[in-house]
């Protein structure tokens, strides 16, 4: 019997043929007559859209799902009704659903991991914007003819969810005519979904674990003769171990599947992005041969070798491995690097770049003695250095054009941007406002760069702009953040540091590649390769791993291993944009060896880099705190080589509490600023942060990050034992209400008030769209100041009345700053009529203040600078601005600053690579 819709039109879609049918509707291939393209039309079952409330919720979710722009998500073009038929128009891709593929047996290990990584990437994208699939199963995963996974039907599960969202076992039962379809859906439900409880992203993790189990074993993890028996198995039984059905599946993959299928959502992967990282690492190990390869049926397992045969096999394997390692080792791996010091300044010389012919080096230096960085150029063969720029603002990050005639660099002048200047001297020309980390393309026609806050990794996006000037074009638009682009040797790819995720989650950062014309970003697999050598991506700490140069098949970068930071290289296939080998260290110094730039000269490989010495300590700024007037020179009051952060002063300014890692672990220390005596107050293996002195100076609160999570402690400020106050109350920021409470904050929850006696806490302020950070009360505890993160490039400071009994509505928030700049970390003056804060409105992060009306706390006049940190040697450069401190007491402000000095070195390695 022919289908009545085939040959008809729904709106401007001409129905061509029926593709399939399921519980969620019938799917047709159709022709979009408006845009002349093929589409897939899903006609929705009439009984599913008969309930107006159910349809409204479905349409709302479908609209959100249509915004999912991801290569592994089937894109929704339209949702409409015509001729009494409700339908969706979707992307049409040739391929087969995974369910059809599994009818022929289980997948190989390589297929499983390839498809699983893509599917979890799609889920991570959806979860990041709050969309839970709810009906993940093999029938909703398509594999195209090119091996690309497309996850289908985001939002369609809303159609089967009753309006009251209370789905019980009885309500889940459908007419027997739908038994096959519903049984298939039930088989992949999470326990909480089967019981009708509220579901979140962890439900999708369970469902995907069921799909993954079936991919490697060929069987569903939960199955019964009836729907009720299947539901009972999901709720009460454990699936048969994977190794019983597929003994060749790696133990690592089986453990991962078991974790997905935990009955308790709290024991599963809490974030599908973490699951994706684990799968990707297994995929890389499979590709490298370090993990078991293609799955084979149990009956095809080879017989065990006898002892003699096993020994012989091991010897052959060892000889083969040795031959392979020797063959694949770089030709110069045994060559000694010859180091030559290029600059010998007492200040700071940094961010070097080599010209393509290897004859010139450009770098930034403050050697002129006026406090700022300028661009200098010198010949490697010798001779005097030439100063190219003379701006009062810092100029740094130079990059040569391929012919060596021009330089592009970053300048902090006028809010920051990219400038181009002739190497032989001349006037600089503004190329791009706000740009950082510029790189000329190999043909010299384009310049790639990023825009964003240098210290906030998720604020950046990458662009290309014509080298002669013009409109910039954003790349990697499918990622949440991207920065520090470098060109492949042939100019066909750009490699950069980025993530698909939004702020507020753990960040699955990696190196990615894209093309200059804006193709979808593809991850390189660097994350797993660098992690395997204990080189960690750390975007929320002081050292993200950024690629600096790409020469031949090698990418050069600076990374930290243990306590040393050196120059490394790693092989990357320029054609595929994939890491193909392990990282290898090139320099072995004890300083911070950063910003490598590499060229070839004949058979010699040359690399210049900056060898820096950096220390973070506590400094004292004398001032009249109620006026915001500096009264003397800033001085360092802790002199250790260790990291010292988050200072807290006593009210008389004589005692300092701070965090130091001098013992190898972050601990709370107390220092007498009169006698200079110091001692550690904590010495646990966990690491402590955020020491907060109570208003009367008798108690000290701090946070410890233990195995079970963040824990808040309170202890006497002198001698005594710390008492646990509460767990899960992260980011304590200040005491309030004469020491009766503590203010903390969370990017997900908002500003929280903690009872200092009981440890109970509740939300004091929150916003559905923005993060509220760094709350601090006025000295009389009548007001609370905080800052709001509305974007990666701006923060805004507000003041609200302190009302512990109820949340203050947004209409009563008093704006203190405009919201146009990165203004954050407010701190009150002792009289409560001045608000200090950090701001990057002039480029570098500096100390500013705003006068307030004594009674209304509304701003009076304009904000004014208190102290500038425009020089490159000393500044507030901690990525987490909260760690700077801004503590006031005894006519001084204590704050944590980073001081840097260094010089440029040349490393020469023999041998081509």
């Amino acid at each position: 019997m022919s289908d009545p819709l085939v040959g008809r039109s729904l709106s401007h879609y001409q129905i061509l043929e029926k593709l399939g049918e399921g519980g969620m509707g019938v799917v047709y291939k159709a022709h979009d007559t408006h845009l002349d393209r093929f589409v897939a039309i899903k006609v929705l079952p009439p009984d599913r859209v008969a309930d107006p409330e159910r349809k409204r919720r479905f349409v709302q979710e479908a609209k959100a799902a249509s915004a999912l722009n991801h290569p592994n998500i089937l894109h929704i073009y339209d949702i409409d009704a015509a001729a009494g038929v409700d339908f969706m128009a979707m992307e049409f891709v040739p391929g087969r659903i995974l369910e059809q593929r599994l009818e022929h047996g289980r997948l190989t290990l390589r297929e499983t991991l390839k498809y699983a990584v893509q599917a979890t990437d799609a889920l991570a994208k959806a979860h990041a914007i709050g969309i839970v699939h709810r009906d993940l199963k093999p029938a909703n995963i398509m594999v195209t003819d090119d091996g690309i996974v497309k996850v289908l039907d985001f939002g369609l599960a809303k159609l089967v969810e009753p309006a009251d969202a209370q789905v019980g076992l009885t309500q889940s039962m459908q007419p027997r005519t739908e038994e096959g379809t519903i049984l298939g859906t039930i088989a992949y439900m999470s326990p909480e979904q089967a019981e009708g409880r509220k579901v979140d992203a962890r439900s999708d993790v369970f469902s995907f674990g069921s799909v993954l189990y079936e991919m490697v074993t060929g069987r569903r993890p939960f199955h019964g003769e009836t729907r009720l028996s299947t539901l009972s198995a999901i709720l009460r039984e454990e699936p048969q171990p994977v190794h019983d059905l597929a003994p060749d599946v790696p133990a690592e993959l089986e453990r991962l599947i078991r974790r997905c299928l935990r009955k308790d959502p709290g024991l599963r992967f809490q974030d599908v992005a973490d699951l994706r990282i684990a799968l990707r690492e297994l995929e890389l190990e499979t590709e490298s041969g370090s993990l078991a390869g293609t799955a084979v049926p149990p009956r095809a397992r080879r017989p065990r070798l006898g002892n003699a045969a096993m020994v012989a096999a091991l010897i052959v394997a060892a000889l083969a491995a040795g031959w392979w390692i020797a063959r694949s080792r770089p030709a110069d791996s045994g060559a000694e690097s010859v180091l030559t010091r290029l600059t010998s300044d007492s200040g700071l010389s940094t961010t070097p770049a080599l010209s393509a012919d290897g004859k010139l080096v450009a770098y930034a230096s403050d050697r002129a003695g006026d406090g700022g960085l300028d661009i200098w150029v010198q010949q490697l063969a010798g001779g005097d250095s030439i100063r190219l720029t003379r701006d009062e603002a810092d100029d740094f990050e130079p990059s040569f054009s391929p012919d060596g005639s021009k330089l592009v660099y970053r300048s902090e002048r006028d809010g920051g941007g990219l400038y181009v200047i002739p190497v032989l001297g001349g006037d600089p020309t503004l190329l791009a406002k706000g740009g950082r980390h510029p790189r000329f393309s190999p043909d010299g026609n384009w310049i790639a760069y990023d825009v964003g806050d240098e210290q906030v990794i998720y604020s950046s996006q990458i662009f290309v702009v014509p080298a002669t000037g013009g409109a910039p074009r954003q790349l990697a638009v499918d990622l949440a953040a991207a920065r520090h682009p470098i060109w492949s040797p042939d100019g066909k790819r750009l490699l950069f540091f980025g993530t698909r995720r939004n702020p507020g989650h753990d960040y699955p950062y990696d190196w990615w590649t894209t093309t200059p014309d804006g193709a979808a970003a593809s991850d390189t697999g660097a994350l797993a390769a660098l992690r395997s050598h204990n080189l960690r991506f750390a975007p929320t700490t002081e050292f993200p791993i950024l690629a600096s140069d790409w020469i031949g098949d090698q990418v050069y970068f600076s990374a930290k291993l243990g306590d040393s930071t050196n120059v490394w290289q790693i092989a990357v296939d320029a054609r595929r944009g994939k890491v193909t080998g392990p990282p290898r260290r090139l320099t072995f110094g004890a300083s911070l060896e950063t910003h490598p730039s590499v060229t070839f000269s004949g058979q010699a490989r040359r690399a210049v880099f900056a060898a820096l010495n950096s220390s973070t300590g506590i400094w004292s700024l004398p001032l009249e705190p109620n006026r915001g007037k500096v009264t003397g020179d800033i001085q360092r009051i802790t002199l250790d080589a260790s990291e010292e952060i988050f200072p807290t002063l006593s009210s008389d300014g004589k005692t300092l509490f701070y965090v130091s890692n001098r013992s190898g672990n972050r601990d709370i220390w107390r220092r007498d600023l009169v006698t200079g005596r110091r001692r550690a107050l904590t010495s646990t293996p966990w690491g402590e942060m955020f020491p907060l002195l109570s208003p009367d100076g008798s108690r000290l609160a701090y946070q410890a990050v233990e195995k079970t999570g963040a824990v808040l402690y309170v202890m006497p400020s002198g001698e005594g034992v710390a008492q646990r106050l509460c767990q899960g109350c992260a980011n304590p920021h200040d005491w309030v209400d004469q020491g009766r409470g503590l203010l903390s904050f969370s990017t997900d929850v908002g500003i929280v008030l903690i009872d200092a006696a009981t440890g109970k806490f509740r939300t004091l302020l929150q916003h559905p769209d923005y993060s509220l950070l760094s709350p601090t009360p006025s000295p009389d505890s009548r007001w609370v100041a905080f800052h709001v993160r509305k974007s990666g490039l701006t923060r805004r400071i507000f003041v609200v009345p302190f009302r512990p009994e109820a949340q203050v509505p947004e209409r009563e928030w008093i704006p203190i700053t405009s919201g146009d700049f990165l203004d954050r970390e407010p701190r009150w003056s002792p009289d409560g009529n001045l608000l200090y804060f950090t701001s990057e409105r002039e480029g570098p992060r500096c100390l500013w203040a705003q006068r307030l009306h004594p009674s209304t706390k509304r701003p009076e006049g304009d904000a004014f600078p208190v102290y500038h940190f425009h020089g490159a040697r000393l500044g507030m450069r901690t990525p987490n601005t909260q760690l700077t401190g801004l503590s006031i007491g005894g006519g001084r402000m204590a704050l944590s600053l980073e001081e840097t000095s260094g010089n440029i070195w040349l490393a020469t390695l023999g041998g081509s690579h």
Side-chain angles (χ1 to χ4, degrees):
M1 182 177 178
S2 60
D3 191 288
L5 282 183
V6 174
R8 290 179 54 192
S9 292
L10 292 177
S11 184
H12 56 279
Y13 301 106
Q14 179 72 32
I15 306 298
L16 302 178
E17 60 177 303
K18 181 178 177 180
L19 297 176
E21 185 172 359
M24 290 297 184
V26 184
V27 181
Y28 299 88
K29 181 180 178 180
H31 179 243
D32 182 344
T33 57
H34 283 183
L35 298 177
D36 191 22
R37 63 180 176 181
F38 290 118
V39 297
I41 296 292
K42 174 162 284 192
V43 174
L44 304 176
D47 61 313
R48 300 295 190 213
V49 294
D51 183 345
E53 173 60 19
R54 181 184 286 169
K55 182 176 179 179
R56 183 195 66 78
R57 289 185 290 109
F58 163 66
V59 171
Q60 182 180 16
E61 180 124 341
K63 287 179 179 178
S66 69
L68 290 171
N69 183 15
H70 190 280
N72 299 122
I73 295 176
L74 196 75
H75 193 61
I76 299 173
Y77 295 143
D78 195 9
I79 180 168
D80 202 356
V85 176
D86 290 277
F87 66 91
M88 295 174 63
M90 302 173 292
E91 175 186 9
F92 174 79
V93 289
R96 290 192 302 169
I97 60 174
L98 185 60
E99 184 179 54
Q100 295 171 328
R101 172 64 181 83
L102 289 171
E103 290 174 356
H104 302 285
R106 64 193 179 103
L107 307 185
T108 67
L109 179 62
R110 289 181 183 273
E111 286 176 320
T112 296
L113 293 174
K114 177 182 177 181
Y115 301 158
V117 168
Q118 295 181 64
T120 50
D121 209 12
L123 289 172
K125 174 70 173 182
H127 292 174
I129 62 172
I131 295 177
V132 180
H133 193 287
R134 297 183 181 86
D135 193 28
L136 200 64
K137 55 188 177 182
N140 279 335
I141 299 174
M142 173 176 279
V143 181
T144 72
D145 295 340
D146 297 326
I148 304 300
V149 164
K150 296 282 187 177
V151 180
L152 319 178
D153 285 357
F154 275 97
L156 278 181
K158 274 289 187 185
L159 281 178
V160 298
E161 182 182 295
D164 61 2
Q166 298 298 316
V167 185
L169 290 181
T170 304
Q171 290 171 310
S172 297
M173 300 300 102
Q174 300 296 326
R176 189 168 182 81
T177 54
E178 295 184 13
E179 181 173 339
T181 300
I182 297 303
L183 180 59
T185 299
I186 288 175
Y188 304 94
M189 280 185 179
S190 65
E192 60 269 29
Q193 193 174 6
E195 290 184 323
R197 291 184 280 129
K198 183 178 180 180
V199 301
D200 56 25
R202 296 172 298 179
S203 178
D204 280 354
V205 170
F206 185 95
S207 299
F208 184 76
S210 297
V211 174
L212 196 54
Y213 182 100
E214 188 171 355
M215 290 165 74
V216 299
T217 67
R219 294 179 55 182
R220 293 172 179 169
F222 306 102
H223 51 86
E225 296 298 324
T226 66
R227 291 162 293 182
L228 280 175
S229 60
T230 300
L231 285 169
S232 178
I234 291 172
L235 294 171
R236 298 174 179 84
E237 298 176 12
E238 295 297 328
Q240 186 174 356
V242 169
H243 64 261
D244 287 356
L245 302 173
D248 50 312
V249 171
E252 295 91 334
L253 181 55
E254 182 171 7
R255 282 194 295 269
L256 185 151
I257 294 171
R258 280 203 308 268
R259 185 175 175 187
C260 291
L261 295 177
R262 298 291 189 191
K263 307 294 186 190
D264 183 352
L267 298 178
R268 298 174 204 151
F269 284 94
Q270 299 299 288
D271 196 318
V272 77
D274 295 332
L275 171 59
R276 186 233 179 241
I277 291 172
L279 289 166
R280 178 58 177 153
E281 289 178 344
L282 291 180
E283 184 183 29
L284 289 171
E285 292 174 13
T286 303
E287 292 173 353
S288 67
S290 60
L291 196 69
T294 303
V296 294
R299 62 178 178 272
R301 296 174 66 195
R302 296 180 180 178
R304 294 184 179 179
L305 294 174
N307 289 343
M310 182 173 290
V311 171
L314 289 174
I315 292 174
V316 171
L319 290 173
W323 173 84
W324 184 88
I325 291 171
R327 186 176 185 272
S328 61
R329 181 181 292 129
D332 61 277
S333 62
E336 294 291 333
S337 65
V338 179
L339 296 179
T340 304
R341 185 168 179 153
L342 296 181
T343 66
S344 299
D345 299 310
S346 60
L348 176 63
S349 295
T350 187
T351 62
L354 279 171
S355 61
D357 60 9
K359 295 180 179 180
L360 296 175
V361 59
Y363 54 91
S365 179
D366 62 359
R367 61 171 56 183
D370 53 14
L373 291 176
D374 292 297
I375 303 298
W376 296 71
V377 176
Q378 72 182 57
Q379 296 184 27
L380 290 185
D384 293 334
S385 300
I386 300 173
R387 183 181 181 184
L388 284 187
T389 66
R390 298 176 180 273
D391 193 84
E392 292 182 358
D394 284 337
D395 302 327
F396 53 101
E397 294 174 349
S399 172
F400 278 99
S401 61
D403 62 6
S405 66
K406 296 186 291 291
L407 282 167
V408 61
Y409 63 94
R410 159 79 180 190
S411 178
E412 296 293 350
R413 73 172 75 176
D414 300 326
L418 301 183
Y419 291 79
V420 176
I421 191 171
V423 170
L424 297 180
D427 294 328
T429 302
L430 176 64
L431 181 72
K433 290 288 291 182
R436 298 180 184 273
H437 311 121
R439 289 291 192 277
F440 267 103
S441 62
D443 62 8
N445 294 329
W446 298 89
I447 292 173
Y449 63 98
D450 65 56
V451 173
D453 179 8
E454 180 72 358
Q455 303 298 336
V456 182
I457 185 68
Y458 55 75
S459 71
S460 298
Q461 298 293 340
I462 60 172
F463 297 81
V464 291
V465 65
T468 54
R473 182 173 71 248
Q474 184 178 345
L475 305 182
V477 295
D478 52 331
L479 298 192
R483 78 157 32 170
H484 216 289
I486 62 170
W487 296 86
S488 63
D490 60 6
K492 295 181 179 180
R493 284 185 181 271
L494 291 108
L495 181 147
F496 57 92
F497 187 74
T499 179
R500 285 198 187 281
R501 301 291 308 285
N502 292 319
H505 302 268
D506 293 333
Y507 302 108
Y509 282 87
D510 209 336
W511 287 354
W512 300 72
T513 64
T514 186
T515 59
D517 58 3
S522 172
D523 69 320
T524 65
L527 174 67
L530 299 184
R531 273 184 171 175
S532 67
H533 284 68
N534 294 318
L535 303 177
R536 300 278 175 173
F537 287 108
T540 57
T541 63
E542 71 279 9
F543 203 84
I545 300 179
L546 305 173
S548 286
D549 215 342
W550 194 348
I551 304 295
D553 64 349
Q554 298 293 318
V555 169
Y556 298 86
F557 60 96
S558 180
K560 188 174 184 180
L561 179 64
D563 288 330
S564 65
T565 300
N566 305 109
V567 176
W568 295 69
Q569 67 180 32
I570 192 168
V572 177
D573 184 329
R575 182 179 61 83
R576 297 187 301 122
K578 298 294 182 183
V579 166
T580 59
R584 189 166 70 86
R585 184 156 52 179
L586 297 181
T587 64
F588 296 86
S591 59
L592 298 170
E593 296 170 339
T594 67
H595 301 94
S597 177
V598 183
T599 62
F600 279 101
S601 179
Q603 294 298 308
R605 186 169 37 136
R606 287 179 165 180
V608 292
F609 60 91
L612 306 177
N613 295 296
S614 179
S615 62
T616 301
I618 309 299
W619 291 68
S620 172
L621 180 66
L623 52 73
E624 295 180 20
N626 291 330
R627 297 179 57 200
K629 181 179 180 181
V630 175
T631 58
D633 294 332
I634 192 168
Q635 293 182 334
R636 184 165 181 169
I637 53 179
T638 62
L639 300 175
D640 289 350
S642 57
E643 174 196 64
E644 294 154 335
I645 52 178
F646 205 99
T648 299
L649 282 171
S650 60
S651 59
D652 60 7
K654 295 180 180 180
T655 307
L656 174 71
F657 299 87
Y658 60 100
V659 176
S660 175
N661 67 353
R662 70 191 312 264
S663 64
N665 192 53
R666 281 180 170 173
D667 294 309
I668 309 297
W669 286 70
R670 173 184 172 132
R671 185 185 186 96
D672 188 316
L673 297 182
V674 177
T675 65
R677 295 194 185 104
R678 64 186 177 190
R679 65 183 180 89
L681 298 181
T682 64
S683 58
T684 70
W686 312 116
E688 289 80 33
M689 289 288 290
F690 312 127
L692 301 170
L693 191 64
S694 62
D696 64 2
S698 65
R699 291 171 294 165
L700 192 73
Y702 63 89
Q703 175 184 289
V705 181
E706 302 179 358
K707 284 185 177 180
T708 56
V711 179
L712 184 62
Y713 286 90
V714 175
M715 67 180 297
S717 59
E719 299 287 344
V721 178
Q723 301 292 324
R724 178 188 287 242
L725 184 60
C726 61
Q727 182 165 342
C729 33
N731 296 311
H733 199 72
D734 213 339
W735 292 84
V736 69
D737 197 14
Q738 285 73 52
R740 287 188 284 268
L742 284 148
L743 295 177
S744 72
F745 65 93
S746 164
T747 54
D748 296 326
V749 177
I751 293 173
V752 174
L753 175 63
I754 305 167
D755 189 303
T758 66
K760 295 181 179 179
F761 53 93
R762 65 175 186 79
T763 302
L764 190 66
L765 288 169
Q766 63 184 157
H767 194 283
D769 301 319
Y770 309 128
S771 296
L772 312 185
L773 309 170
S774 302
T776 181
S778 60
D780 59 8
S781 289
R782 294 180 57 198
W783 306 88
V784 173
F786 60 96
H787 73 262
V788 175
R789 181 173 67 201
K790 290 192 172 183
S791 75
L793 295 175
T794 61
R795 304 287 188 274
R796 193 175 192 185
I797 296 173
F798 290 87
V799 167
V800 297
F802 175 59
R803 294 178 189 159
E805 71 284 353
Q807 293 192 33
V808 179
E810 188 177 1
R811 65 178 179 273
E812 295 186 39
W813 297 6
I814 302 170
I816 304 302
T817 60
S818 66
D820 298 326
F821 311 104
L822 278 164
D823 300 333
R824 46 194 165 182
E825 305 303 333
R827 184 68 64 178
W828 296 84
S829 63
D831 66 1
N833 296 329
L834 194 69
L835 207 58
Y836 293 93
F837 58 94
T838 68
S839 178
E840 294 165 51
R841 57 185 63 199
E842 292 185 355
R845 192 180 302 158
C846 298
L847 181 63
W848 287 67
Q850 173 65 57
R851 292 183 178 87
L852 307 177
H853 188 277
S855 59
T856 66
K857 300 307 175 190
R858 296 190 177 278
E860 292 189 330
D862 295 331
F864 60 94
V866 177
Y867 196 90
H868 285 300
F869 294 99
H870 285 188
R873 292 186 63 184
L874 184 66
M876 296 188 280
R877 286 190 284 270
T878 57
N880 183 348
T881 53
Q882 185 184 0
L883 304 183
T884 301
L886 301 189
S887 180
I888 298 172
R892 70 169 95 191
M893 174 182 285
L895 61 170
S896 180
L897 302 173
E898 181 183 285
E899 188 175 24
T900 306
S901 62
N903 281 284
I904 309 300
W905 288 72
L906 169 69
T908 304
L909 286 174
S912 60
H913 196 69

